[in-house]
Amino acid sequence: MLEEFEEVKKVIAEEQQKLKERLAYGACESYEEYRFITGIHEGLTQATKLLDNYVSEVLNQMNADDDDF
């Protein structure tokens, strides 16, 4: 189960790296495009945090269920 979450995080991290490189090389043609790209990057950062929180909650619930037995 956790392998799938790690794979999703890997895909997100790869996309974030592409966006960072695009920004670093000055590939944005306008300030609006720059803001758009940074917004996508921030959204992916938030998605990763949400995924981490979800996995943590699932693991905590699994541990709590194990303790009940």
Side-chain angles (χ1 to χ4, degrees), residues 36-69:
F36 180 74
I37 299 299
T38 56
I40 292 172
H41 186 276
E42 179 61 24
L44 291 172
T45 299
Q46 292 298 321
T48 300
K49 288 178 184 178
L50 289 170
L51 185 59
D52 286 340
N53 289 341
Y54 176 76
V55 169
S56 180
E57 288 177 23
V58 168
L59 291 175
N60 287 338
Q61 184 62 42
M62 289 172 63
N63 287 335
D65 290 345
D66 287 344
D67 291 343
D68 290 340
F69 292 106

Side-chain angles (χ1 to χ4, degrees), residues 11-54:
V11 170
I12 290 173
E14 289 170 358
E15 185 62 25
Q16 284 182 302
Q17 185 61 37
K18 289 178 191 176
L19 294 170
K20 282 193 255 185
E21 289 173 8
R22 186 173 175 184
L23 292 171
Y25 293 119
C28 296
E29 295 182 13
S30 66
Y31 180 67
E32 289 78 21
E33 184 179 1
Y34 170 83
R35 288 182 58 205
F36 180 74
I37 299 299
T38 56
I40 292 172
H41 186 276
E42 179 61 24
L44 291 172
T45 299
Q46 292 298 321
T48 300
K49 288 178 184 178
L50 289 170
L51 185 59
D52 286 340
N53 289 341
Y54 176 76

